[in-house]
Amino acid sequence: MTTTRRLTGFKPTGHLHLGNLLGALRPLIAAQGHTESIAMIADLHALTVDHDPARVRALTLEQATVLLAAGVDPERTPIIVQSQVPEHTELHYLLECVAGYGEAARMIQFKEKSAGGGHVRLSLLTYPVLMAADILLHDILQVPVGEDQNQHLELARTLATRFNTRYGETFTVPEGVRPEAAARVMDLAEPTTKMGKSGGTGRIALLDPPEVVRKVIARAVTDEIGEVRRDQEKQPGVSNLIDILAACSGQAPSDPHSYGRLKRETTDAVEAVLTPIRARHAELAADPGHVRSILAAGVAAVRPRAIAVVRRTRDALGLLD
Ligand code: ATP
Ligand code: MG
C-alpha cells in the first residue's frame, strides 16, 4: 500500500508567486520523472478565513491553469481540486474523532491567525486535521514541507499512528521531506519575511506583466554595505536577490559591487522564467473547458484509492457498511 507518493498543495487565496514556483512547483515538476505526486488546489483550506466566493472559484481555476503552464504534466501528476474529492471532507470528520481539542488549539498558525480576535472560523481551528486527512486519504508517504508546516505534518503523523494503534493498521504514516533544489523566496520589500500570497508589497506574481516585475525588483530593499554577497543576517535583501538569480538562471552575480547590476541580472533571469509560463497560460486560459476536463481526470485518477481508504477507516471505526 505504500509507494513513495507526494502531495503538494496550493491554497487559492491569491495569485501564485515566485515563492510558490521556486519553493514548491519547480521541485514538484523536477520530481515528475522519478516520484509519483499529486498536486492539489486546496480550496477548502481557503474557506478557513473570510473569503469572497467568486474570487476563490476564479483563483482555483487560475492556479490549476498556472500549474499546467509551468510544466505539471497531468498524465503523471494528477491535479485535483480538494473539494471535488468529497472523501477529503468525510475523512476530515472521521479524523476529528481521534484528534484532541488541545492538539488543534496549540497549533502556532491557529494562535497567530486567531490572535486578532473578531470572528474566528471553527474551520481555522480544525484545518490541520483536514490537512492530515488530505495526506492520509491518498496514502502519501512524503510531504514536502517548509518550516511553517512542520507542526501540521507532525499532527498528521500523530493521528495516523494513534489511529493505527487503536483501531488497527489503516493509514500510511507520512514523513516530511525537504524537496531537492527548493528555494525559499523572501518578500522583496521586506526581505526578512517570506514572499506570500497576501500581505507584503514585494511580491512577484507569476502572471505579473514584465513592467511590474521590473519595478518590484528595482525597488527591492537592499542595504548600505555595497557588497554583493550572501549574508542572510546582515544582508537579507541582497541575499534574496542572489538566491532568486541562482534559482532562475543557475548564475552568480557578475559584479561583486553593483546592486544595480544585480537587480538587472535578476530581472532578466526572472523574466526568462516567467515569459514562457505567461505565454502558455494565455493559451490554456483561452480554453477553460479543457482545463476543467484535466481536473476531472485528476479526480477520476485519485478517487478509487480515496474511496478505499475511507472504507477502511469507516470499517475500523465501527460504522455500518
Ligand atoms: P498563504 O499566504 O495563503 O499561506 P502562500 O504564499 O504561503 O500563501 P501556500 O498556498 O500556503 O502559499 O503554499 C503553496 C506552496 O508554496 C507550499 O508548498 C509552500 O511551502 C510554498 N511556498 C509558499 N511561499 C513560499 C516562499 N516564499 N518561498 C518558497 N516556497 C513557498
Ligand atoms: Mg502558506
Side-chain angles (χ1 to χ4, degrees), residues 242-301:
I242 295 173
D243 288 350
I244 293 173
L245 173 61
C248 289
S249 70
Q251 280 168 19
S254 59
D255 186 331
H257 303 293
S258 167
Y259 290 172
R261 184 88 186 255
L262 171 64
K263 287 180 173 182
R264 282 194 298 280
E265 287 173 351
T266 306
T267 305
D268 291 345
V270 170
E271 265 308 310
V273 168
L274 296 191
T275 305
I277 296 178
R278 283 190 209 109
R280 184 85 185 104
H281 176 270
E283 283 170 27
L284 288 160
D287 188 359
H290 175 60
V291 175
R292 292 189 68 128
S293 70
I294 289 173
L295 295 174
V299 170

Side-chain angles (χ1 to χ4, degrees), residues 11 148-149 194 197:
K11 246 183 312 177
D148 61 333
Q149 293 296 333
K194 86 165 186 74
K197 284 198 244 77

Side-chain angles (χ1 to χ4, degrees), residues 9-11 13 17 19-20 23-24 183-185 194-198:
F10 301 88
K11 246 183 312 177
T13 45
H17 52 75
N20 297 134
R184 182 168 161 82
V185 180
K194 86 165 186 74
M195 188 179 286
K197 284 198 244 77
S198 44

Side-chain angles (χ1 to χ4, degrees):
M1 111 182 161
T2 307
T3 52
T4 307
R5 190 176 299 120
R6 288 187 190 173
L7 176 73
T8 303
F10 301 88
K11 246 183 312 177
T13 45
H15 303 291
L16 291 177
H17 52 75
L18 197 61
N20 297 134
L21 179 73
L22 300 178
L25 205 36
R26 273 255 186 109
L28 167 70
I29 292 163
Q32 276 183 148
H34 54 83
T35 304
E36 189 186 337
S37 296
I38 297 173
M40 179 178 81
I41 312 295
D43 57 348
L44 296 172
H45 289 291
L47 308 189
T48 57
V49 290
D50 190 32
H51 77 287
D52 171 9
R55 185 172 146 83
V56 168
R57 192 177 293 122
L59 285 170
T60 298
L61 196 57
E62 179 186 290
Q63 291 195 353
T65 310
V66 169
L67 260 54
L68 291 165
V72 175
D73 173 4
E75 298 288 326
R76 289 185 287 183
T77 306
I79 304 176
I80 61 169
V81 174
Q82 185 186 26
S83 67
Q84 293 186 341
V85 180
E87 288 72 28
H88 283 109
T89 40
E90 184 166 4
L91 190 60
H92 177 201
Y93 176 76
L94 299 176
L95 285 178
E96 279 189 1
C97 301
V98 293
Y101 168 75
E103 281 172 320
R106 69 162 182 264
M107 293 288 138
I108 293 158
Q109 280 200 19
F110 173 72
K111 287 193 199 162
E112 282 173 2
K113 291 191 182 172
S114 61
H119 182 83
V120 176
R121 294 184 179 186
L122 188 53
S123 57
L124 185 65
L125 175 68
T126 59
Y127 115 80
V129 184
L130 176 58
M131 188 176 141
D134 298 335
I135 297 166
L136 301 184
L137 183 64
H138 301 289
D139 271 343
I140 297 296
L141 189 60
Q142 295 189 335
V143 187
V145 275
E147 276 146 52
D148 61 333
Q149 293 296 333
N150 272 341
Q151 213 188 7
H152 296 157
L153 180 75
E154 233 10 83
L155 180 67
R157 289 168 55 81
T158 302
L159 297 182
T161 307
R162 183 181 303 155
F163 193 103
N164 289 346
T165 307
R166 174 103 192 256
Y167 300 106
E169 207 55 39
T170 304
F171 295 121
T172 300
V173 180
E175 62 196 32
V177 290
R178 297 254 170 248
E180 51 284 350
R184 182 168 161 82
V185 180
M186 309 306 282
D187 186 280
L188 288 153
E190 219 181 296
T192 50
T193 57
K194 86 165 186 74
M195 188 179 286
K197 284 198 244 77
S198 44
T201 51
R203 171 176 45 245
I204 295 174
L206 300 178
L207 299 178
D208 275 344
E211 55 277 17
V212 172
V213 173
R214 200 177 325 114
K215 207 186 305 166
V216 172
I217 296 179
R219 288 183 187 158
V221 166
T222 53
D223 52 62
E224 305 287 298
I225 296 172
E227 303 278 346
V228 177
R229 63 176 174 216
R230 276 190 93 264
D231 184 332
Q232 219 65 260
E233 196 119 304
K234 297 200 190 82
Q235 301 186 255
V238 170
S239 302
N240 192 32
L241 289 167
I242 295 173
D243 288 350
I244 293 173
L245 173 61
C248 289
S249 70
Q251 280 168 19
S254 59
D255 186 331
H257 303 293
S258 167
Y259 290 172
R261 184 88 186 255
L262 171 64
K263 287 180 173 182
R264 282 194 298 280
E265 287 173 351
T266 306
T267 305
D268 291 345
V270 170
E271 265 308 310
V273 168
L274 296 191
T275 305
I277 296 178
R278 283 190 209 109
R280 184 85 185 104
H281 176 270
E283 283 170 27
L284 288 160
D287 188 359
H290 175 60
V291 175
R292 292 189 68 128
S293 70
I294 289 173
L295 295 174
V299 170
V302 304
R303 232 176 141 205
R305 189 178 45 233
I307 288 170
V309 170
V310 166
R311 192 173 300 134
R312 286 205 305 265
T313 312
R314 291 174 52 105
D315 278 354
L317 285 171
L319 301 178
L320 201 61
D321 61 12

